[in-house]
Amino acid sequence: MSSAVQLIRSVDLAAAPYAHAATAPAGTRLVFLAGACPLEDDGTTTAPRDYAAQAARCVETLEIALRASGAALTDVISTRVLVASSSQADLVTAWDVVHAAFAGHDVPSTLMGVTVLGYDRQLVEIEAIAAIPEDAR
């Protein structure tokens, strides 16, 4: 099944490793996902000091929530990647993992450094919105 999401890039804006906007046609349903956190099945935080490992676990968690909603990464229309750090290098480390997971489906995204996240030793969280056909799921 192909995605309902249409990614939009503007030649009037600086080149970026993500689309500048995205749309979904009439007849689609939006799926709002809770922030995907780097938690193991037992509730502990994945790799407490490792931005890349936590970002990878967040992507896995996001994919599980998407599947439960009848969606996949290619149905995501927007993301927000939160990184508990004031270091741009830490933000880029997390972003590189997320960007690679989405491959060519480079949705509009916001990358933010924040002071703290909700779980002990949590460094990364990914929020997402997906769009799927009304008859999906």
Side-chain angles (χ1 to χ4, degrees), residues 1 8 23 25 33 50 54 59 63 79 91 101-102 105 109 111 113 122-123:
M1 175 188 332
I8 300 165
T23 64
L33 295 114
D50 188 334
Q54 285 201 12
V59 170
E63 288 177 308
T79 67
L91 275 69
F102 276 83
H105 187 66
S109 298
L111 175 63
Q122 180 184 358
L123 302 173

Side-chain angles (χ1 to χ4, degrees), residues 4-98:
V5 175
Q6 179 184 18
L7 301 178
I8 300 165
R9 291 164 182 80
S10 174
V11 296
D12 296 325
L13 294 171
Y18 48 82
H20 295 107
T23 64
T28 56
R29 180 167 47 103
L30 294 179
V31 180
F32 296 85
L33 295 114
C37 298
L39 299 179
E40 297 298 322
D41 294 342
D42 65 2
T44 60
T45 303
T46 300
R49 293 175 197 79
D50 188 334
Y51 288 91
Q54 285 201 12
R57 179 62 179 158
C58 287
V59 170
E60 291 172 8
T61 302
L62 179 62
E63 288 177 308
I64 292 166
L66 285 164
R67 272 195 305 276
S69 303
L73 286 178
T74 54
D75 297 309
V76 171
I77 195 166
S78 177
T79 67
R80 182 177 300 138
V81 181
L82 308 170
V83 182
S85 178
S86 60
S87 166
Q88 190 176 38
D90 295 336
L91 275 69
V92 170
T93 295
W95 171 256
D96 286 345
V97 172
V98 174

